[in-house]
Amino acid sequence: MSKPLAFFKGDLVDIKNANVNIQTHALHYGTAVFEGIRGNWNTTNDSMIIFRLREHYERLIRGTRILLIDIPYDVDELCNITTDLVHKSGYKQDVYIRPIAYKSAEKIANLKLPELENDFALMIIPFGDYIDSSRAINCCTSSWRRLDDTNIPPRVKISGNYVNSILAKTEAVLAGFDEAIILNQSGSVSEGSGENLFIVNDGEITTPPLSDNNLDGITRNCVFEIAKQELGIQIKEKTIFRSELYLADEVFLTGTAAHITPVGQLDKRTIGTGDTGEITTKIQSLYSDIVRGNNSKYLDWCTSVQIS
Ligand code: PMP
């Protein structure tokens, strides 16, 4: 039997009882950092494959350093709390795991981070596809610009940053597109609303550097490794302009939720053939085996939790 549990104020509780007060600082100001981690159900081994668990917590800790959120757990302890929650929740299907380190202080008139108490919570929900990545999606260039590092650092998952992503995603969907591509303050390509972006030209793969104000994505890092190890391609980091997307052979997006998602159209211009390109297909198929623990070369990216 599966149970919707949460880790809240140091204990595993029914998610219905994991509630914060209306005065909680993070609710008012977005003063939190979170992660999105996938657990992929492996039917052959009756186990949950938590993908790149450690790397997600390393990024969470980087975020807490920026927001001065002190939590009493290190990366090892956070990994253990997570495997325990996954085990005791008992889900036998794909799940999404959401840790959040937040300013839990019930003080709404204080903007001084060191004076605000902190807490850490973790929850798990059943989760299928975020975007249908079996087909090439239809994107628009957002009229919203990506946050700059001089506004709020976009390289980590600060909760408040997501207002930027949510405005862009909402604009895209209301206009009939699947996803938004967001330009940074200098006008070059940053990323999707919840995904990093890559282009392919004549067999070369390029992505904007983190200094172009995108998230330090874990799937992005996987794609660097997979391209190098499996396709012999060294990915280049370089500023990319909007018109380069229109003219690329292939464009794809990457993210924990979105996996590897091909882009078939941008602003009504067809990219390449309009279908999933050759290199995107190869990376997509390798990645989908790797995240489920079905590629023995990449098992060090997988934390397996047996569910009885
Ligand atoms: N950019 C943004 C803005 C995101 O929210 C995400 C999802 N976490 C990504 C990129 C992809 O990051 P990751 O591969 O670590 O999930």
Side-chain angles (χ1 to χ4, degrees):
M1 269 295 285
S2 59
K3 287 187 287 273
L5 298 178
F7 179 85
F8 186 68
K9 302 213 181 285
D11 282 316
L12 278 189
V13 298
D14 187 318
I15 201 159
K16 284 205 240 71
N17 298 326
N19 302 314
V20 295
N21 185 278
I22 193 70
Q23 299 173 92
T24 303
H25 200 271
L27 178 62
H28 292 258
Y29 301 114
T31 42
V33 289
F34 71 94
E35 274 303 321
I37 310 172
R38 268 192 189 264
N40 302 305
W41 181 242
N42 184 309
T43 38
T44 326
N45 304 321
D46 255 8
S47 58
M48 190 69 83
I49 304 298
I50 311 177
F51 193 61
R52 304 208 72 177
L53 179 58
R54 170 164 280 278
E55 290 82 355
H56 280 282
Y57 279 122
E58 286 167 353
R59 183 170 64 190
L60 183 96
I61 296 293
R62 292 200 291 279
T64 63
R65 289 173 59 194
I66 293 176
L67 276 196
L68 301 180
I69 297 176
D70 226 347
I71 53 169
Y73 310 108
D74 63 18
V75 170
D76 285 327
E77 288 164 325
L78 291 167
C79 290
N80 290 337
I81 292 169
T82 307
T83 52
D84 188 44
L85 177 87
V86 168
H87 179 70
K88 296 201 170 119
S89 296
Y91 285 109
K92 294 188 173 192
Q93 59 186 301
D94 292 353
V95 294
Y96 188 71
I97 300 162
R98 163 60 55 84
I100 184 165
Y102 63 106
K103 287 291 178 192
S104 57
E106 293 170 11
K107 291 176 188 156
I108 52 170
N110 187 332
L111 300 186
K112 292 164 280 183
L113 291 171
E115 294 176 11
L116 300 164
E117 294 85 29
N118 311 290
D119 214 337
F120 169 79
L122 175 66
M123 61 220 88
I124 178 169
I125 55 164
F127 195 56
D129 280 345
Y130 175 69
I131 295 185
D132 176 9
S133 53
S134 63
R135 60 177 177 92
I137 63 164
N138 196 356
C139 295
C140 64
T141 305
S142 182
S143 68
W144 297 97
R145 291 288 177 96
R146 188 73 178 127
L147 286 161
D148 191 85
D149 198 84
T150 56
N151 306 129
I152 319 176
R155 69 178 65 234
V156 291
K157 289 176 80 73
I158 293 174
S159 294
N161 287 5
Y162 278 79
V163 175
N164 184 229
S165 287
I166 288 165
L167 287 170
K169 177 79 178 188
T170 303
E171 176 188 50
V173 170
L174 291 180
F177 297 95
D178 299 308
E179 186 51 285
I181 307 295
I182 311 176
L183 307 181
N184 57 31
Q185 300 294 322
S186 326
S188 71
V189 175
S190 164
E191 58 182 343
S193 72
E195 308 85 15
N196 292 107
L197 177 143
F198 291 78
I199 65 173
V200 182
N201 273 316
D202 298 326
E204 279 202 343
I205 311 178
T206 314
T207 192
L210 297 186
S211 52
D212 281 342
N213 289 309
N214 44 63
L215 183 78
D216 188 357
I218 288 161
T219 321
R220 179 183 190 271
N221 171 272
C222 293
V223 168
F224 272 72
E225 275 305 298
I226 295 170
K228 187 163 131 203
Q229 302 299 335
E230 309 301 324
L231 310 179
I233 300 172
Q234 186 76 46
I235 294 182
K236 288 202 181 80
E237 291 180 277
K238 160 184 126 19
T239 292
I240 295 175
F241 292 99
R242 177 178 184 168
S243 57
E244 294 180 73
L245 302 184
Y246 294 158
L247 302 177
D249 294 344
E250 302 176 35
V251 174
F252 63 89
L253 303 175
T254 68
T256 298
H259 301 303
I260 312 292
T261 298
V263 179
Q265 271 199 13
L266 176 63
D267 305 333
K268 309 279 184 197
R269 276 81 169 174
T270 300
I271 296 171
T273 62
D275 281 330
T276 310
E278 199 184 316
I279 293 202
T280 309
T281 304
K282 285 186 188 157
I283 295 176
Q284 218 180 17
S285 126
L286 286 155
Y287 182 78
S288 76
D289 279 345
I290 291 170
V291 290
R292 226 164 266 285
N294 289 332
N295 184 326
S296 57
K297 272 168 78 178
Y298 293 89
L299 288 181
D300 54 340
W301 285 354
C302 301
T303 303
S304 172
V305 178
Q306 216 65 37
I307 309 286
S308 42

